[in-house]
Amino acid sequence: MPATARSPGRHEHSLDFAGGPLVFDVWEPERPSDQLPVLLVHGWGASSSYWRLTAEALSQTTRVIVPDLPGTGRSQPVATPQGMHEQTASLSRILDALGIERVQIVGHSMGGAMGILVADAERERVDRLVLTSLCLFTSDAQRKFFKVVALAFRLSLGLRKTPLARAPFFAERMAARYFHRLPPERELIDRLYQDFLELDAASANACAAGATDPLIDVAAARLQAPTLLIACRQDDLMPVANVQFTGNLIPQCAVHWMDGSGHLPMLERPEEYVRVLRAFLTPETDPNQRTPTSVNLFSPSI
């Protein structure tokens, strides 16, 4: 497993498997502690790039693993479409390669659904789970509606090779769906949009189709790891009305609401986001109690 240094404390690794390359970064802690390593899992349409600030902050005291899921970012080309379950399997493959026996997972959006599946399949391995900007479906009608929304995203994939896709306003229009307020840093929008342009379309479509799998709800309902659900009030992509349903479905689940953020709180409110993660992932209570109550929670007022 060759490793290439990217910056102090950050090293790039690559695994080869039948589906194609699997590339991930490992951030070694600046001040090693007894904290369990953290696996950051990105969502649909992106790569690991938007986790940089989070990884830098958490790696002050713990090891952080940040993959590009197969079909995204550096983990290309893929031999066959990599759907959500194939990408989920890649997470276990990374942990196996690093010899990690216990881990904490922070998943964003569809990456949160993958975190649920890993935590359900490997109950002795996942110590804590954070789900960011993720809501589960309350009915088959919602699943059908999501399929319509996913179709619109698939159509947008087809526009990537047209001149329209290179127009600056097109990137901003897409970014507006993910942010409450667009960031002033143009390069940030450009980086996220470039991730979208470079996606493997077949894998992206397969993942979108897998997002409605009822088995995700089944896995969520039997989770044993303490779980934190971070919801953003201005998230236009996740139905905030489903937050309570999701929190009630998952055992040992606490809910933390963030104001002033859309779908990407790690970019819109990075300092607050890291504070919430640290409070949950490094609780003051005895870790053997395995409770999620150490984080500061408050109820929504929608």
Side-chain angles (χ1 to χ4, degrees):
M1 181 173 58
T4 304
R6 299 290 300 279
S7 62
R10 177 186 180 187
H11 302 271
E12 180 182 285
H13 297 257
S14 181
L15 298 174
D16 292 322
F17 71 108
L22 178 55
V23 181
F24 58 97
D25 292 323
V26 176
W27 297 70
E28 298 296 347
E30 296 177 20
R31 302 185 301 277
S33 68
D34 59 356
Q35 296 176 28
L36 293 174
V38 177
L39 173 66
L40 302 179
V41 188
H42 68 80
W44 188 93
S47 75
S48 64
S49 62
Y50 67 70
W51 282 124
R52 183 180 61 83
L53 293 176
T54 307
E56 284 180 346
L58 294 180
S59 65
Q60 292 176 11
T61 56
T62 191
R63 196 182 198 194
V64 182
I65 303 101
V66 195
D68 282 343
L69 294 168
T72 74
R74 298 161 293 172
S75 295
Q76 299 190 68
V78 291
T80 58
Q82 299 291 296
M84 191 167 66
H85 292 283
E86 289 81 9
Q87 292 191 350
T88 298
S90 73
L91 299 177
S92 296
R93 188 176 292 113
I94 290 171
L95 298 177
D96 290 342
L98 294 174
I100 294 177
E101 296 181 355
R102 296 285 290 173
V103 70
Q104 304 179 99
I105 297 179
V106 178
H108 173 248
S109 194
M110 190 173 291
M114 297 180 194
I116 289 173
L117 294 173
V118 173
D120 177 56
E122 303 200 52
R123 298 178 183 179
E124 297 303 316
R125 182 177 243 176
V126 179
D127 186 79
R128 287 183 172 240
L129 176 64
V130 179
L131 309 173
T132 305
S133 302
L134 171 73
C135 286
L136 301 176
F137 299 107
T138 62
S139 65
D140 288 337
Q142 283 195 349
R143 291 186 177 87
K144 291 178 180 178
F145 178 76
F146 177 83
K147 289 179 180 179
V148 174
V149 175
L151 176 60
F153 278 109
R154 288 199 293 271
L155 292 175
S156 67
L157 287 171
L159 296 175
R160 293 184 300 173
K161 298 184 182 300
T162 68
L164 178 64
R166 299 296 174 178
F169 76 86
F170 196 76
E172 292 181 359
R173 287 291 299 273
M174 289 199 66
R177 296 291 307 277
Y178 290 85
F179 290 95
H180 174 49
R181 294 185 179 88
L182 287 178
E185 302 88 353
R186 177 70 205 193
E187 61 271 17
L188 178 56
I189 295 177
D190 290 342
R191 177 64 262 174
L192 292 171
Y193 189 57
Q194 191 64 32
D195 286 339
F196 169 74
L197 292 177
E198 295 173 356
L199 282 175
D200 177 70
S203 295
N205 288 334
C207 283
T212 59
D213 191 340
L215 290 179
I216 298 172
D217 291 45
V218 173
R222 60 191 183 199
L223 286 177
Q224 296 183 2
T227 301
L228 176 65
L229 175 60
I230 300 178
C232 300
R233 296 186 193 275
Q234 291 78 28
D235 189 345
D236 291 334
L237 293 180
M238 290 290 111
V240 293
N242 289 19
V243 170
Q244 183 175 354
F245 167 82
T246 304
N248 289 340
L249 180 66
I250 300 173
Q252 299 190 78
C253 183
V255 178
H256 182 90
W257 286 87
M258 290 182 63
D259 280 303
S261 178
H263 196 61
L264 296 163
M266 68 289 296
L267 295 179
E268 282 205 78
R269 303 189 67 82
E271 294 180 358
E272 178 184 354
Y273 183 71
V274 167
R275 284 198 301 270
V276 174
L277 290 183
R278 282 178 170 153
F280 180 73
L281 298 176
T282 57
E284 296 177 0
T285 56
D286 181 355
N288 293 324
Q289 295 177 2
R290 297 178 62 79
T291 64
T293 54
S294 60
V295 74
N296 182 26
L297 306 176
F298 54 96
S299 300
S301 56
I302 300 174

